[in-house]
Amino acid sequence: MEGGALESAVDHLADPLTDPLPGQHPSPWFRSASAEPPQAVAPEPQEQEWYDPEGYARDWYGERQAQPQETAETAETAETAEPTYEQLYGAYAPERRTPEPEPVPEPEPAYEPEPAYEPEPAYEPEPAYEPLEAHEPIPDDETVALRTEDTRRIAEPEPDRPTEGRAARRKAAKKGGTRPRGTRPAPPPQSAQGAPGAPLSRLEARRAERARRPSPGAVISRGLGEVFITVGVLMLLFVTYQLWWTNIRAQQQADGAAHDLQESWAKGKGKPGAFEPGQGFALLHIPRLDVVVPVAEGIDKQKVLDRGMVGHYNEGATKTAMPEAKQGNFAVAGHRNTHGEPFRYINRLEPGDPIVVETQDKYFVYKMASILPQTSPGNIGVIGPVPPGSGFTKPGRYITLTTCTPEFTSKYRMIVWGKMVEERPRSKGKPSALVN
């Protein structure tokens, strides 16, 4: 490109910062060396304005736009109409931005089904425990502790022997200072398992003491257990006393009373007559049951019945006749269980079985007639002269045996009746019922 054309193109550029006036360029860099300086031209006289309307109207980046001629109507319309965007901003108006298109929403991802459930692998038990061989026994805690102590002693060097005397060691011990040089320190405390370990702290010691201490519930249950055991032992002892020891003791007392009675008869002291309560005066024989028991006056429990003897009803409304009487009912009572239990098996008697009463002078033989298995304790008619229910219809010489029933209770009474069939003096010897 030639220099004149470049210069001409540069001169036509519009730059409001460097070229405020149209047609001029103040920069000398865009002038060629051969160009002549512009000649000064006298400007035409005109009204001066503070701005260049043509500069504002000119398009800085292109050719100047042709301005339409204004008419009267255009001017009037321009005065009344609102200015347009181009009129306000002119060539300096920035480019209008086109609205950005709305973002298109992204489509949701396609549904993917979850993977199929895979079950956990089957449980495989651990391999069976294989015990050690016989020649390799498992060492206990004491053996491990001893081995550890032996290893420590071997590993530790032998301490030096004390070089100081006994007086120095005593002095150091009194002062509470360090131990004399060359002395061996105290061994570490042994734990509960026998292995060396650190001593327990105060909190651990309290917890251990609390764990060893029994709880209130354990103390109460232990106390109740001891009470129950004591009560059970006492009950067992009482049952043993009632069922075993009372029989032994009563049997001894009954045998002693029978022996004393026979001795008094031999000496001629036991003459028939009135007897004091508790005094023995006869012997009762029941051969079928192998029973020989002394008969005492009265039915007192402690003085007569509990001593293993049979008591004769002799007081008030229950007073009955003696065997020597020519007419009447000789009624006696005895224990069925405990305290010698002389009448325990009278329910086994059968009609015709002999019942013998031996006195100092005679034998009175009765035969069992009937039995009443159960009646109330207040039925005193069973010991009357003619007992109802016995089968007897008129007065005679009868015997009545009474005892408690059922066994080990005293709720009811069992009655056995007999009728005298023989009265035999002792001078004639024993009756056949006692001989056979």
Side-chain angles (χ1 to χ4, degrees):
M1 180 181 295
E2 296 180 1
L6 177 62
E7 182 180 353
S8 177
V10 171
D11 290 339
H12 284 75
L13 294 176
D15 189 351
L17 299 178
T18 59
D19 190 7
L21 299 178
Q24 297 182 3
H25 202 292
S27 177
W29 301 101
F30 294 94
R31 302 286 190 271
S32 60
S34 61
E36 294 180 1
Q39 297 179 2
V41 180
E44 295 180 359
Q46 58 183 356
E47 187 179 357
Q48 297 292 330
E49 296 184 7
W50 64 275
Y51 73 97
D52 184 8
E54 295 182 358
Y56 283 92
R58 183 188 303 116
D59 187 3
W60 292 356
Y61 299 97
E63 296 294 335
R64 179 179 179 182
Q65 298 179 359
Q67 298 291 333
Q69 296 181 1
E70 295 182 357
T71 60
E73 298 177 357
T74 307
E76 184 179 357
T77 306
E79 290 178 0
T80 59
E82 294 181 359
T84 62
Y85 184 84
E86 287 78 1
Q87 291 176 356
L88 290 174
Y89 297 100
Y92 300 100
E95 296 182 359
R96 294 186 178 181
R97 297 181 180 180
T98 58
E100 297 181 359
E102 296 182 359
V104 179
E106 298 181 359
E108 296 182 358
Y111 172 74
E112 296 181 1
E114 297 182 357
Y117 173 74
E118 296 181 1
E120 297 182 358
Y123 171 75
E124 296 182 0
E126 297 182 358
Y129 172 74
E130 297 181 359
L132 298 177
E133 297 180 3
H135 62 278
E136 296 182 2
I138 300 176
D140 53 1
D141 297 340
E142 185 176 359
T143 305
V144 172
L146 293 176
R147 292 179 180 177
T148 305
E149 184 68 18
D150 295 342
T151 305
R152 186 181 63 81
R153 289 180 179 178
I154 295 174
E156 291 181 357
E158 184 70 21
D160 299 336
R161 296 185 178 274
T163 55
E164 301 177 359
R166 184 180 301 175
R169 291 195 299 271
R170 289 181 179 176
K171 187 176 181 181
K174 289 181 180 180
K175 291 182 178 180
T178 59
R179 59 184 178 83
R181 195 181 74 177
T183 59
R184 180 175 295 181
Q190 301 291 330
S191 63
Q193 288 78 12
L200 297 177
S201 63
R202 183 178 298 177
L203 180 59
E204 293 175 348
R206 289 180 180 177
R207 290 179 178 175
E209 181 65 22
R210 192 177 302 130
R212 288 192 297 267
R213 188 182 306 165
S215 62
V219 173
I220 294 174
S221 61
R222 187 181 302 171
L224 291 176
E226 293 178 357
V227 171
F228 290 153
I229 292 173
T230 304
V231 172
V233 171
L234 292 177
M235 292 181 64
L236 181 61
L237 293 176
F238 177 75
V239 171
T240 303
Y241 168 78
Q242 287 288 334
L243 299 181
W244 179 67
W245 178 250
T246 58
N247 289 336
I248 295 177
R249 182 60 178 166
Q251 188 67 38
Q252 293 176 352
Q253 293 175 348
D255 292 343
H259 180 71
D260 295 341
L261 186 59
Q262 290 176 350
E263 285 187 352
S264 63
W265 288 345
K267 296 178 181 179
K269 295 181 180 180
K271 296 295 181 181
F275 301 98
E276 297 179 359
Q279 181 181 0
F281 64 89
L283 293 176
L284 178 65
H285 300 265
I286 306 177
R288 182 177 180 85
L289 305 181
D290 195 18
V291 171
V292 179
V293 58
V295 181
E297 191 70 11
I299 56 172
D300 186 83
K301 186 174 183 297
Q302 296 180 354
K303 295 181 178 180
V304 179
L305 301 182
D306 287 352
R307 296 172 64 88
M309 295 186 290
V310 172
H312 171 237
Y313 289 94
N314 70 332
E315 294 182 358
T318 61
K319 186 175 182 179
T320 59
M322 295 294 287
E324 295 86 2
K326 298 300 180 180
Q327 193 175 20
N329 186 8
F330 177 63
V332 294
H335 279 303
R336 190 176 184 189
N337 299 109
T338 70
H339 299 90
E341 51 194 26
F343 286 173
R344 181 171 186 178
Y345 301 110
I346 61 173
N347 59 321
R348 298 180 182 180
L349 293 176
E350 298 178 357
D353 288 340
I355 301 173
V356 180
V357 177
E358 179 185 0
T359 63
Q360 182 178 6
D361 298 328
K362 295 180 180 180
Y363 290 97
F364 301 94
V365 181
Y366 302 85
K367 285 190 176 181
M368 188 268 188
S370 60
I371 183 172
L372 180 62
Q374 182 174 300
T375 187
S376 64
N379 185 9
I380 61 175
V382 296
I383 60 175
V386 182
S390 61
F392 306 140
T393 59
K394 59 182 180 179
R397 303 178 73 177
Y398 308 120
I399 186 172
T400 303
L401 310 180
T402 64
T403 189
C404 298
T405 192
E407 292 190 38
F408 303 103
T409 65
S410 58
K411 188 174 183 180
Y412 301 105
R413 298 293 184 266
M414 178 184 291
I415 311 299
V416 174
W417 290 290
K419 184 178 181 181
M420 185 182 295
V421 294
E422 182 183 0
E423 181 178 351
R424 186 182 182 87
R426 292 180 63 89
S427 59
K428 293 183 179 182
K430 296 182 180 179
S432 60
L434 300 180
V435 174
N436 296 331

